[in-house]
Amino acid sequence: MSGLQAIRYTRGKLEVLDQLRLPHEHHYDTISTSEEAFDCIKTMRVRGAPAIAIVAALAHGVELYHGGCKAPIPTEAISYIDSRLDYLKQSRPTAVDLTNAITHLKAVVRAVDIAALGDAAAPSAIVDAYIAAAEEIFRKDTETNLRIGEHGSRWLLANAPVKSPEGKVSVLTHCNTGSLATSGHGTALGIIRSLHSAGNLHHAFCTETRPYNQGSRLTAFELVYERIPATLITDSMAGALFATKKVGSHIAAVIVGADRVVRNGDTANKVGTYALAVLARYHGIKFIVAAPTTSIDLQTTTGADIKIEERKPEELTQISGAVVGADGKVDISRTVRVATAHQEIAVWNPAFDVTPADLIDAVVTEQGVVVKGESGSFDFRGVMPERWAAVVGQ
Ligand SMILES: CSC[C@H]1O[C@H](OP(=O)(O)O)[C@H](O)[C@@H]1O
């Protein structure tokens, strides 16, 4: 597993790698409150659907560990925990892992047997139950990713439309879905790691992933760090790569992560994913979504109902503070040497887009690979039977 850890935790202490400083600086921020976690997630010092959920869950656990809950009776302790989790839920709206983690944590604290413990002992038992559950979310994520790696690499090797003469596959991935987006190993990048460690990877291509540059700053960093054969391209080069057989002749699949897979299989992921899915279909390349079941939302039936986060224009017009577009924040008269009023270009900056299930060949979860049935739609009951029965019915 990668030596790059987005999250470092021991009971009572949480440290988060500031990904805005990568790849130039390796700096951990100490996170001790829900407010600090909210800001860390909102500003994308930590990002990635699983990592967001883990940091939020553990941050409140640290807060509770250091006496954050003063409630004298159990019902007030539960209300306090609810309020902090509901606050954290607002930090980023599209990825569902955070919502699913919050739902689980609220159920855990409500399962504490207050009657048996009595009002005096119950609040501390509720806090202990919360902390244990938050730590389990963190621990389980790496195991989940290793299983996604196994399932995904096995499926691709069995279904690859093309392989190298040595029987290896080349893939392209978008954004960052590795150790920097999870507790370790990663989801889509986890499949690439599993292919590589088994000697089945010919080459990995990663896209720059504008405007936050998760690909050039984070994924390229992870791939180089582990000496995985890889090439960085800009987002706009993907079509040319697929069409240029000389360079990309063995590309078997595009493998991406997910922020939210909804009941019919439509998937919200980093903006640019939809374009890659269209290109993959046109070029006969498999399109694989790697998604832990924590990223699946059965409550939402189609992608039309997914809330897409829009972020501030400066993330697009500036790169680490260097102005690359007329954003009205810098007097451009000096650069264009004409007297001019400040000009501000309008910016549309959706952080995600939605890929329809029709363009997705497989959704790889830790419970197995889901492909569309004869009806042409995905059915996730096989990988999450209890949640399916609770939400959708038999
Ligand atoms: C396993 S990470 C899933 C998902 O999260 C990333 O978005 P962001 O960097 O904005 O948090 C990207 O969409 C990844 O595919």
Side-chain angles (χ1 to χ4, degrees):
M1 188 174 73
S2 163
L4 294 173
Q5 278 185 287
I7 302 162
R8 291 194 312 208
Y9 172 82
T10 52
R11 185 163 290 185
K13 184 174 183 183
L14 172 64
E15 294 176 297
V16 176
L17 183 61
D18 180 351
Q19 298 187 30
L20 284 173
R21 299 182 192 222
L22 289 176
H24 311 296
E25 190 183 349
H26 203 254
H27 173 86
Y28 283 89
D29 292 331
T30 298
I31 303 295
S32 305
T33 67
S34 295
E35 285 78 10
E36 289 173 349
F38 186 101
D39 184 70
C40 187
I41 294 166
K42 184 73 177 173
T43 57
M44 294 179 69
R45 282 179 282 145
V46 67
R47 28 65 49 203
I52 289 168
I54 292 165
V55 166
L58 289 178
H60 184 43
V62 168
E63 200 168 43
L64 290 170
Y65 180 83
H66 292 291
C69 179
K70 307 291 188 211
I73 57 175
T75 52
E76 287 182 19
I78 290 173
S79 296
Y80 170 74
I81 291 171
D82 282 0
S83 67
R84 304 304 278 164
L85 292 177
D86 291 341
Y87 162 70
L88 285 161
K89 188 175 179 181
Q90 303 313 308
S91 54
R92 291 192 73 194
T94 304
V96 74
D97 298 61
L98 178 53
T99 299
N100 284 339
I102 288 170
T103 301
H104 172 66
L105 292 165
K106 286 185 174 181
V108 164
V109 297
R110 283 165 172 77
V112 173
D113 189 348
I114 296 170
L117 289 165
D119 280 4
S124 61
I126 287 167
V127 166
D128 293 346
Y130 176 96
I131 292 172
E135 292 172 353
E136 177 64 8
I137 289 173
F138 183 36
R139 183 203 65 77
K140 192 178 175 186
D141 182 64
T142 302
E143 176 187 309
T144 292
N145 297 336
L146 290 168
R147 293 176 64 183
I148 288 174
E150 289 170 19
H151 290 309
S153 48
R154 188 180 309 120
W155 186 89
L156 181 53
L157 292 169
N159 293 277
V162 63
K163 293 182 179 177
S164 73
E166 303 77 23
K168 301 182 180 183
V169 291
S170 293
V171 298
L172 178 137
T173 194
H174 187 57
C175 196
N176 174 258
T177 59
S179 295
L180 294 172
T182 65
S183 64
H185 194 70
T187 57
L189 198 48
I191 294 174
I192 292 173
R193 281 195 167 96
S194 297
L195 285 166
H196 175 66
S197 62
N200 292 315
L201 181 74
H202 183 261
H203 205 86
F205 293 89
C206 60
T207 56
E208 180 185 27
T209 316
R210 289 284 290 139
Y212 184 95
N213 304 313
Q214 289 95 330
S216 55
R217 292 190 308 108
L218 307 179
T219 297
F221 184 63
E222 289 199 43
L223 291 166
V224 166
Y225 187 87
E226 289 181 29
R227 302 182 188 281
I228 295 174
T231 298
L232 172 66
I233 65 170
T234 64
D235 304 325
S236 57
M237 292 174 187
L241 174 68
F242 295 160
T244 309
K245 292 301 175 193
K246 175 167 58 71
V247 177
S249 57
H250 307 302
I251 292 180
V254 173
I255 309 178
V256 298
D259 289 86
R260 188 184 294 248
V261 181
V262 295
R263 193 188 305 174
N264 75 343
D266 292 351
T267 296
N269 195 55
K270 185 50 51 193
V271 64
T273 300
Y274 171 53
L276 290 171
V278 173
L279 284 168
R281 179 57 54 88
Y282 181 82
H283 288 280
I285 293 170
K286 294 296 183 186
F287 191 83
I288 298 169
V289 170
T293 52
T294 54
S295 299
I296 297 177
D297 167 14
L298 296 177
Q299 303 277 1
T300 303
T301 52
T302 74
D305 297 326
I306 298 174
K307 176 175 171 50
I308 299 297
E309 175 190 11
E310 293 197 23
R311 295 186 63 87
K312 61 184 183 182
E314 291 77 12
E315 290 185 355
L316 197 153
T317 57
Q318 299 179 19
I319 292 181
S320 302
V323 174
V324 294
D327 63 2
K329 303 295 187 298
V330 174
D331 177 355
I332 62 174
S333 59
R334 288 180 290 109
T335 55
V336 297
R337 299 193 187 293
V338 293
T340 175
H342 280 205
Q343 294 163 350
E344 185 164 328
I345 185 69
V347 170
W348 183 53
N349 184 17
F352 305 99
D353 59 24
V354 177
T355 298
D358 173 58
L359 293 176
I360 300 170
D361 292 299
V363 176
V364 180
T365 77
E366 72 280 12
Q367 300 300 335
V369 180
V370 184
V371 296
K372 292 189 284 284
E374 291 177 5
S375 65
S377 59
F378 285 95
D379 183 327
F380 295 107
R381 77 186 73 202
V383 295
M384 46 196 338
E386 291 176 4
R387 280 174 59 191
W388 183 277
V391 175
V392 185
Q394 297 307 329

